[in-house]
């Protein structure tokens, strides 16, 4: 079927949150799902979205922070145990070492499943790992009707933003980032921008009487965006629909919607887990 949309699987952050799973989203390209990040709970969120983890043969990682990879081991082993026989994972340098550590950690378990249960290691022990060069460019995708490009963004570890282009339609995932021009360029005229907007003033701000909150705010502002900054990026890039994500517990949804709407004229969506956002979500 000819379709192109993003489904938010997890709109949360490193802080455990009853309402939000860890950061992850799936881009649906015709009938092929591509996973971006593997936050906590990602495999279950796929099932809730009626996407069989077996059908995910490609995963992109924006970066390797714990909140974006907590769900990987379950996705890797769980999908394999359900019958997945082919997997390519793509991300920044360090991805191969991370993947191998996961295999090491479960070596005994994997050995047991392969030998006692008679399952082949195909799809688990032969995962194709692609580490992308730091400077950005094209993502080497095979057999999928989409063009994917990426750019480095500004975080405290190597982090990429990704743009999916299918014909005249585009979806951009910012990754965790402070405001940066490379992201504005990546998101130029995109239909949908799924954007880090972690620093809600209801949670962290520089006017708090609590010195620790002020201190953390100073750190976070160098590596994440406020809803206002997210809106400025969307506005500058000429994006049609801005989706705010990577939300901390106790974020005031109405407040961040209002803040972003003040600086961006297009559609603003405060992301919710399992929400599907398609090209119709934009304002013409
Ligand atoms: Zn994160
Ligand atoms: Zn991060």
């Amino acid at each position: 079927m000819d379709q192109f949309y993003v489904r938010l699987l997890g709109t949360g952050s490193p802080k455990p949150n009853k309402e939000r799973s860890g950061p992850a989203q799936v881009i649906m390209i015709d009938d092929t799902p591509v996973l971006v990040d593997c936050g906590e709970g990602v495999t279950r969120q796929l099932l809730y979205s009626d996407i069989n983890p077996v059908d995910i043969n490609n995963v992109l990682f924006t970066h390797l922070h714990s909140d974006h990879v907590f769900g990987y081991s379950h996705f890797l082993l769980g999908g394999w145990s359900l019958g997945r026989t082919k997997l390519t994972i793509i991300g920044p340098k360090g991805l191969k070492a991370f993947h191998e550590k996961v295999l090491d950690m479960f070596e005994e378990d994997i050995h047991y499943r392969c030998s006692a249960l008679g399952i082949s290691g195909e799809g688990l022990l032969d995962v194709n790992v692609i580490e992308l060069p730091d400077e950005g460019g094209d993502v080497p995708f095979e057999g999928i009707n989409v063009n994917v490009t990426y750019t480095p963004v500004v975080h405290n570890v190597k982090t990429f933003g990704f743009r999916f282009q299918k014909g005249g339609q585009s979806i951009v995932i910012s990754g965790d980032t402070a405001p940066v021009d490379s992201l504005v360029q990546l998101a130029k005229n995109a239909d949908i921008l799924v954007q880090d907007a972690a620093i809600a003033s209801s949670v962290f701000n520089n006017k708090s009487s609590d010195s620790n909150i002020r201190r953390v705010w100073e750190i976070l502002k160098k590596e994440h965006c406020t809803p206002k900054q997210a809106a400025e990026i969307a506005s500058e890039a000429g994006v049609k629909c801005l989706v705010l994500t990577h939300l901390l517990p106790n974020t005031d949804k109405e407040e961040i919607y209002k803040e972003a709407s003040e600086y961006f004229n297009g559609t603003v969506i405060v992301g919710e887990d399992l929400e599907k956002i398609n090209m119709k979500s934009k304002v013409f």
Side-chain angles (χ1 to χ4, degrees):
M1 204 208 299
D2 183 26
Q3 55 181 350
F4 188 45
Y5 65 80
V6 55
R7 189 185 289 274
L8 309 175
L9 298 173
T11 55
S13 70
K15 299 215 174 198
N17 186 335
K18 263 203 303 197
E19 294 168 9
R20 300 182 188 279
S21 279
Q25 44 270 303
V26 69
I27 314 287
M28 188 62 81
I29 304 142
D30 299 329
D31 286 329
T32 306
V34 173
L35 188 57
V36 182
D37 287 339
C38 276
E40 175 275 324
V42 65
T43 305
R44 206 148 172 263
Q45 295 295 76
L46 283 169
L47 295 173
Y48 276 127
S49 307
D50 290 327
I51 297 171
N52 190 336
V54 171
D55 296 332
I56 304 253
N57 300 117
N58 291 281
V59 183
L60 293 178
F61 287 93
T62 60
H63 64 306
L64 300 175
H65 269 164
S66 56
D67 52 322
H68 297 250
V69 301
F70 273 142
Y72 179 64
S73 51
H74 188 207
F75 169 79
L76 177 68
L77 274 87
W80 167 70
S81 74
L82 289 175
R84 184 176 54 230
T85 55
K86 211 170 168 223
L87 182 65
T88 294
I89 61 172
I90 303 175
K93 283 178 191 139
L95 182 62
K96 196 167 177 38
F98 165 71
H99 168 75
E100 280 166 5
K101 274 182 194 151
V102 172
L103 290 181
D104 279 354
M105 199 161 62
F106 296 110
E107 190 182 0
E108 199 180 330
D109 177 279
I110 291 167
H111 181 72
Y112 162 75
R113 287 172 205 282
C114 285
S115 58
L117 305 178
I119 306 176
S120 135
E122 201 185 359
L124 178 68
L125 302 178
D126 59 355
V127 172
N128 180 26
V129 185
I130 299 174
E131 293 187 342
L132 296 169
D134 291 352
E135 62 271 17
D138 291 327
V139 176
F141 254 160
E142 278 173 23
I144 303 176
N145 181 25
V146 72
N147 187 41
V148 186
T149 51
Y150 73 103
T151 187
V153 291
V154 175
H155 202 38
N156 58 40
V157 293
K158 179 55 68 188
T159 302
F160 297 137
F162 292 107
R163 179 184 182 114
F164 292 75
Q165 186 79 37
K166 182 177 185 281
Q169 302 178 329
S170 47
I171 298 170
V172 175
I173 308 293
S174 74
D176 291 9
T177 186
V180 58
D181 191 54
S182 62
L183 178 59
V184 173
Q185 297 311 319
L186 186 80
K188 268 282 177 245
N189 302 318
D191 292 283
I192 298 166
L193 169 63
V194 179
Q195 169 67 44
D196 171 6
I199 327 175
S201 54
S202 47
V203 187
F204 286 108
N205 63 74
N206 58 349
K207 294 178 193 81
S208 172
S209 55
D210 184 334
S211 64
N212 195 43
I213 286 182
R214 292 200 307 274
R215 189 183 64 79
V216 176
W217 186 86
E218 285 296 329
I219 296 169
L220 289 182
K221 75 175 185 179
K222 295 185 186 122
E223 48 203 56
H224 290 281
C225 284
T226 63
K228 175 187 174 204
Q229 290 168 329
E232 286 169 344
I233 291 165
S235 197
E236 215 182 315
V239 162
K240 297 183 183 68
C241 173
L242 168 66
V243 183
L244 306 176
T245 192
H246 207 282
L247 306 177
L248 291 152
N250 304 319
T251 294
D252 183 330
K253 288 185 263 186
E254 208 168 307
E255 179 199 82
I256 65 171
Y257 175 81
K258 273 191 196 153
E259 185 181 320
S261 300
E262 224 177 287
Y263 297 91
F264 176 61
N265 288 329
T267 305
V268 176
I269 294 174
V270 178
E272 298 289 350
D273 281 16
L274 304 178
E275 191 169 4
K276 175 179 163 181
I277 297 152
N278 63 22
M279 299 300 141
K280 291 189 192 117
S281 308
K282 70 189 180 186
V283 166
F284 289 95

